[in-house]
């Protein structure tokens, strides 16, 4: 399989402070593949179970969300975003006279609670679709439950590549790590001019290990070198000085941290303690202002990739931020607000277009969603179940994140499978 | 494995170990006096970090205080707050069970631990996890010395730990209360017959143990920027417990040495490139030592754990 099967840019709107970019300057063109999402992806079998049927006057859809625990800032936003989408849909008349009811379950930021939350939504509440989760590690068991029961699931922020390869009922409203890792590798190589980069990976997060793998492969593809990779495990130990001292001894010119903000903040602060003064960058797992608090001066000026930014001038973004502000009295704190909104709208759009009253036909309807104007970009669910959208590089400031560059969508296929 | 990094890694290990040692002292003292493994101890560490955070927030926002005075205030408030919490826990949860079978008290300790964690969760579950902002930590400047980079705050952690440990050692060996404590630890019933006020000794034990845990919580949260959540005491609590057992539970120098061994072992495993075994190495060392010295490094062989 070719490394770069194609390079394609989706329609991009300009954003303030972004230098934009044509984005079709990637080497090694074509050879067939998933560009445009037209080829059928392997392993995406449609489930065979009966599925749930809508009963009564309302159509129930479920949301699993990290309302407590480490990922709470994301969970809160994704819930608010989803609720906003449902309220708007109902205010516009619902579908065939039926209103949508959003059932919310807390996953407590844990995979096992995410599984039982999904089982409750699918088995007891008989929802027609599940929205969530923000984290890849929690989405994996939840998606399995949905696939087995013929209920579609649209992940909000789960970017790990193989999630949608596990069944035809699994979709997402965000880009994948194949794009995210490659985009960050490109940014590091071309814009930050880094050549010898160390990688910090959270071994406990499927998101982090997946993202690090793609990044390493892509960075080497662009011509850079991986100086070393160090590991840690989230959820307990907050002492990273041993790993950072090891990294320092390899003299890298940059450090890629693929973990979540909960650990990246302390890592940034401790890298100053061991005197590792090189640029740091990472993926959308950094997205919370908690990062600035816990990272202090160690995190300021560093870069990460995200799905969109509140300050973008696109009409969808400004409209969404205004509505969100009006309903909750504060703007969305992370990108998960917009992704929760978009993921819910993917389900609602499919519901409206097909008039489906059972979860099984809703699966087909969601797979057919095309060119939906989402807050985080135009969403087309391809045969592989993934949304294809551009990404935005943000820089960490003293109190907030500033957009610095938009990276258009391109396809990077990992050779290792 | 880079040998040039060994001194720096040892510094990292000693700093981590010092924090374990502070927590382990509380475990060891309570065990020495009451023969009780106080599983709530790690959660007292967590409460200490929260005390420090709120102290910092109240004063930091008004900016009226000299930052050095503020750091000391954070430390003292964390210690006093935790001491009070320790006494309350002892009074409400452990004293009524003083003569109950040891297993009942042990289970109560687990219950107190869960109570603290989930009370915290109830209060904080819908708010983001705060960290003590870096501006509070005026000691965040690095010092370079013989190829080693060390922050003033790390030195401060080490210094405060040493001062607290020395103070405790003097207290236990040189004062009347310390002697009473050793007597109670030796034989609870006989000490009581000899006119030692055992209730007071137990309260003092909890005051000291809990305030040390509070100090550890404050220093760790300030120096590392750890985001606070109600479960942060879990892992350090377990590690410190292992450190106490490693050194010989009930033995004060043993807890300190155990803590330092644990900290250095963890860091050296990462240094050697086996970061995945970081948490396992502590237990491997524990098993090896208990195989050859069932009472721990400094413990009496009569006291098997």
């Amino acid at each position: 399989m070719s490394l770069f099967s194609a390079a394609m840019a989706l329609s991009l709107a300009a954003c303030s402070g972004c230098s934009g970019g044509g984005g079709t300057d990637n080497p090694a063109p074509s050879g067939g593949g998933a560009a445009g999402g037209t080829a059928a992806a392997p392993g995406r079998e449609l489930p065979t179970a009966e599925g749930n049927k809508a009963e009564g006057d309302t159509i129930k859809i479920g949301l699993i969300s990290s309302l407590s625990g480490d990922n709470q800032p994301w969970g809160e936003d994704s819930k608010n975003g989803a609720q906003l989408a449902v309220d708007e849909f109902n205010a516009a008349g619902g579908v065939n006279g039926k209103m949508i009811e959003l059932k919310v379950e807390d996953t407590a930021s844990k995979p096992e609670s995410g599984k039982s939350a999904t089982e409750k939504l699918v088995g007891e509440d008989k929802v027609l679709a599940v929205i969530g989760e923000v984290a890849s590690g929690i989405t994996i068991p939840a998606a399995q439950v949905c696939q087995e029961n013929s209920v579609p699931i649209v992940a909000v922020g789960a970017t790990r590549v193989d999630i949608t390869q596990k069944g035809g009922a699994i979709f997402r409203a965000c880009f994948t790590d194949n794009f995210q890792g490659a985009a960050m590798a490109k940014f590091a190589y071309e814009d930050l001019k880094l050549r010898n980069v160390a990688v910090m990976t959270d071994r406990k997060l499927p998101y982090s290990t997946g993202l690090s793998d793609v990044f390493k492969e892509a960075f080497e593809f662009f011509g850079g070198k991986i100086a070393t990779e160090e590991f840690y495990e989230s959820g307990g130990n907050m002492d990273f000085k041993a790993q950072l001292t090891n990294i320092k001894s390899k003299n890298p010119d940059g450090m890629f941290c693929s973990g979540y903000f909960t650990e990246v903040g302390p890592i940034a602060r401790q890298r100053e303690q061991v005197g590792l003064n090189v640029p740091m960058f990472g993926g959308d797992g950094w997205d919370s202002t908690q990062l600035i608090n816990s990272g202090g001066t160690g995190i300021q000026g560093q870069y990460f990739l995200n799905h969109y930014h509140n300050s973008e001038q696109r009409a969808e973004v400004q409209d969404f931020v205004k509505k969100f502000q009006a309903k909750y009295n504060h703007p969305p704190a992370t990108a998960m607000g917009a992704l929760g909104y978009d993921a819910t709208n993917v389900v609602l759009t499919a519901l409206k277009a097909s008039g489906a009253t059972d979860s099984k036909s809703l699966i087909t309807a969601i797979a057919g969603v095309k060119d939906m104007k989402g807050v985080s970009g135009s969403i087309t669910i391809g045969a592989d179940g993934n949304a294809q959208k551009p990404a935005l590089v943000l820089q960490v400031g003293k109190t907030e994140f500033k957009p610095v560059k938009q990276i258009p969508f391109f396809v990077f296929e990992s050779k290792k499978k | 494995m880079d040998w040039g990094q060994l001194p720096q890694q040892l510094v990292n290990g000693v700093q981590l170990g010092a924090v374990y040692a502070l927590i382990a002292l509380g475990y060891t003292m309570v065990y020495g006096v009451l023969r009780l493994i106080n599983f709530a101890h790690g959660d007292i560490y967590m409460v200490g970090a929260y005390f420090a955070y709120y102290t910092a927030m109240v004063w930091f926002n008004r900016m009226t205080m000299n930052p050095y005075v503020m750091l000391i205030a954070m430390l003292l408030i964390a210690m006093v707050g935790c001491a009070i919490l320790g006494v309350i826990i002892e009074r409400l949860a452990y004293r009524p069970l003083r003569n109950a079978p040891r297993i009942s008290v042990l289970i109560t300790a687990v219950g107190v631990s869960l109570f603290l964690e989930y009370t915290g969760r109830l209060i904080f579950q819908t708010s983001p996890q705060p960290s003590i902002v870096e501006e509070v930590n005026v000691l965040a400047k690095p010092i370079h010395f013989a190829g080693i980079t060390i922050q003033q705050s790390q030195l401060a952690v080490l210094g405060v730990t040493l001062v607290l440990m020395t103070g405790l050692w003097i207290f236990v060996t040189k004062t009347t209360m310390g002697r009473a404590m050793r007597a109670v630890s030796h034989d609870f019933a006989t000490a009581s017959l000899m006119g030692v006020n055992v209730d007071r000794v137990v309260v003092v034990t909890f005051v000291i143990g809990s305030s040390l845990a509070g100090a550890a919580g404050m220093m760790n949260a300030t120096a590392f920027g750890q985001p606070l959540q109600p479960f942060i005491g879990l892992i350090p609590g377990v590690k410190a417990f292992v450190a106490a057992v490693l050194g010989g539970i009930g033995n004060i120098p043993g807890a300190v040495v155990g803590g330092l061994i644990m900290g250095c072992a963890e860091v050296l495993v990462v240094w050697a490139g086996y970061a995945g075994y970081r948490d396992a190495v502590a237990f491997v060392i524990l098993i090896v030592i208990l195989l050859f010295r069932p009472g721990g490094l400094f413990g009496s062989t009569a006291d098997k754990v």
Side-chain angles (χ1 to χ4, degrees):
Chain A
M1 190 173 289
S2 74
L3 197 54
F4 269 87
S5 48
M8 65 171 294
L10 292 193
S11 59
L12 311 168
C15 75
S16 69
C18 294
S19 49
T24 43
D25 53 344
N26 295 307
S30 130
T38 46
R44 283 185 57 81
E45 277 118 33
L46 284 172
T48 50
E50 190 71 4
N52 291 337
K53 289 196 171 30
E55 282 159 13
D57 309 334
T58 56
I59 293 176
K60 285 187 219 162
I61 57 177
L63 172 76
I64 49 169
S65 185
S66 298
L67 298 176
S68 60
D70 285 347
N71 306 343
Q72 184 269 343
W74 295 338
E76 191 67 25
D77 268 353
S78 76
K79 184 193 83 178
N80 288 342
Q83 190 64 56
L84 183 63
V86 167
D87 290 356
E88 268 178 43
F89 190 76
N90 285 342
V95 57
N96 297 335
K98 284 186 176 182
M99 292 293 133
I100 305 292
E101 190 189 349
L102 186 71
K103 291 269 179 193
V104 183
E105 287 291 327
D106 182 14
T107 64
S109 307
K110 288 189 189 124
E112 59 273 21
S113 319
K115 184 163 190 267
S116 51
T118 314
E119 277 162 351
K120 179 173 178 293
L121 287 173
V122 169
E124 266 178 51
D125 295 328
K126 302 281 179 200
V127 295
L128 282 203
V130 174
I131 297 154
E133 231 270 335
V134 294
S136 295
I138 306 172
T139 306
I140 293 167
Q144 196 185 353
V145 173
C146 288
Q147 173 75 16
E148 279 164 10
N149 291 285
S150 289
V151 172
I153 178 167
V154 181
V156 172
T159 52
R160 189 180 159 98
V161 178
D162 58 10
I163 287 178
T164 47
Q165 293 164 359
K166 287 181 178 155
I170 308 163
F171 308 93
R172 64 180 126 207
C174 50
F175 48 61
T176 73
D177 290 335
N178 265 353
F179 170 54
Q180 172 164 222
M184 221 45 211
K186 189 168 186 271
F187 177 78
Y189 191 83
E190 289 174 5
D191 296 271
L192 298 178
K193 309 262 182 255
L194 303 178
R195 294 295 177 264
N196 187 27
V197 164
V199 179
M200 262 303 241
T201 305
D202 183 347
R203 208 195 287 263
K204 217 167 161 185
L205 291 181
Y207 160 76
S208 182
T209 53
L211 180 57
S212 284
D213 285 346
V214 176
F215 173 81
K216 284 184 291 182
E217 201 183 331
F219 192 67
E220 283 178 342
F221 174 83
F222 285 115
K225 253 183 66 194
I226 300 298
T228 179
E229 183 175 14
E230 287 285 333
F231 298 92
Y232 61 92
E233 283 177 20
S234 53
N237 232 316
M238 279 289 173
D239 180 70
F240 306 105
K241 288 201 291 293
Q243 287 94 331
L244 293 168
T245 304
N246 278 354
I247 288 179
K248 193 189 168 202
S249 74
K250 299 285 194 302
N251 289 316
D253 55 10
M255 178 163 70
F256 179 70
C257 289
S258 60
Y260 284 167
F261 60 90
T262 32
E263 281 76 30
V264 169
I267 288 174
R269 200 183 283 205
Q270 290 172 34
R271 97 199 155 89
E272 289 194 319
Q273 296 180 355
V274 301
L276 179 65
N277 299 315
V278 296
M280 247 176 101
F281 54 105
D284 64 334
W286 287 25
D287 182 23
S288 163
T289 43
Q290 264 188 47
L291 178 74
I292 304 178
N293 250 335
S294 57
T297 54
I299 200 70
Q300 286 168 22
Q302 313 307 322
Y303 301 91
F304 71 98
L305 198 76
N306 212 346
H307 304 267
Y308 89 107
H309 192 265
N310 286 348
S311 70
E312 279 183 66
Q313 290 305 311
R314 277 186 294 130
E316 291 87 15
V317 177
Q318 288 313 312
D319 192 38
F320 166 73
V321 173
K322 209 160 50 188
K323 282 187 288 194
F324 195 98
Q325 172 85 38
K327 188 166 164 65
Y328 302 108
N329 290 322
H330 60 82
T334 71
M336 295 304 162
L339 287 178
Y341 182 81
D342 284 354
T344 311
N345 274 331
V346 165
V347 173
L348 297 178
T349 306
L351 210 52
K352 186 131 194 171
S354 67
T357 51
D358 68 290
S359 62
K360 219 169 169 180
S361 42
L362 190 55
I363 295 176
T364 338
I366 291 176
V369 170
K370 253 185 120 164
D371 299 325
M372 192 195 94
K373 286 258 174 270
V375 179
S376 58
S378 174
I379 296 176
T380 296
I381 304 286
D384 57 357
N386 300 324
Q388 297 174 345
K389 295 182 300 184
L392 198 58
V393 178
L394 304 182
Q395 187 174 27
V396 182
K398 270 204 167 105
T399 53
E400 53 171 20
F401 305 133
K402 292 185 296 272
V404 292
K405 185 174 185 183
Q406 187 160 44
I407 300 188
F409 183 80
F410 61 86
V411 174
F412 180 82
E413 289 272 357
S414 173
K415 271 193 289 192
K416 302 169 201 158
K417 274 277 161 67
Chain B
M1 208 185 295
D2 182 346
W3 292 98
Q5 295 295 326
L6 188 57
Q8 174 80 56
Q9 293 289 22
L10 284 175
V11 168
N12 297 340
V14 168
Q15 192 205 358
L16 182 64
V19 173
Y20 289 155
L22 270 187
I23 312 174
L25 280 172
Y27 268 114
T28 244
M29 287 178 65
V30 171
Y31 183 86
V33 170
L34 279 179
R35 295 288 178 274
L36 159 69
I37 292 166
N38 182 12
F39 280 113
H41 199 64
D43 303 297
I44 293 176
Y45 160 93
M46 171 273 288
V47 175
Y50 271 102
F51 272 125
Y53 169 74
Y54 282 108
T55 310
M57 282 309 104
V58 167
W59 271 315
F60 185 69
N61 291 335
R62 303 204 180 132
M63 282 304 267
T64 48
M65 188 169 275
N66 177 317
Y68 294 96
V69 178
M70 186 165 70
L71 282 179
I72 294 171
M74 283 162 70
L75 182 67
L76 289 181
I77 289 178
M79 288 177 75
V80 171
C82 288
I84 295 171
L85 178 67
V87 171
I88 294 173
I89 291 172
E90 193 274 328
R91 188 70 192 81
L92 296 182
Y94 300 148
R95 196 177 295 182
L97 294 170
R98 186 72 56 78
N99 297 315
R102 270 168 71 180
I103 190 78
S104 314
V105 195
L106 195 75
I107 289 166
T108 308
V110 175
V112 172
S113 167
L114 293 175
F115 175 80
L116 289 177
E117 284 164 14
Y118 284 89
T119 309
R121 201 193 129 152
L122 206 61
I123 299 171
F124 299 113
Q125 68 173 343
T126 53
S127 54
Q129 300 169 8
S131 331
I132 295 176
V133 294
E134 202 173 34
E135 283 81 355
V136 169
N137 189 1
V138 287
L139 301 174
K141 296 175 203 86
I143 300 169
H144 301 281
F145 171 76
I148 296 171
T149 308
I150 186 163
Q151 265 197 335
Q152 291 173 8
S153 61
Q154 292 173 275
L155 283 180
V157 169
L158 280 179
V160 171
T161 307
L162 283 179
V163 168
L164 290 176
M165 285 173 190
T166 318
L168 178 64
W169 180 245
I170 293 171
F171 176 81
V172 172
T173 52
K174 304 278 188 241
T175 65
T176 322
M177 182 46 95
R179 191 181 303 140
M181 205 178 264
R182 280 180 289 143
V184 173
S185 134
H186 201 71
D187 191 326
F188 201 90
T190 315
S192 152
L193 287 174
M194 294 295 167
V196 174
N197 185 344
V198 290
D199 279 344
R200 250 183 83 197
V201 168
V202 170
V203 167
V204 170
T205 308
F206 270 88
V207 165
I208 296 176
S210 304
S211 59
L212 293 182
M218 176 270 169
M219 292 194 293
N220 231 8
T222 310
F224 289 176
Q226 175 168 31
L228 304 186
Q229 42 107 343
F231 298 95
I232 53 169
L234 214 60
I235 300 285
V238 171
K239 296 270 177 67
F241 171 63
V242 174
V245 174
L246 182 60
I249 193 152
N251 183 293
I252 287 174
V256 176
V257 173
L260 292 178
I261 292 179
M262 292 267 303
C264 290
E266 266 187 41
V267 165
L268 291 181
V269 165
V270 178
W271 169 68
Y274 299 97
Y277 295 96
R278 179 176 190 144
D279 291 336
V281 71
F283 297 96
V284 171
I285 295 179
L286 179 74
I287 291 167
V288 170
I289 289 192
L290 290 189
L291 273 179
F292 295 100
R293 287 191 63 91
L297 281 178
F298 296 80
S300 66
T301 40
D303 248 348
K304 293 197 182 84
V305 178

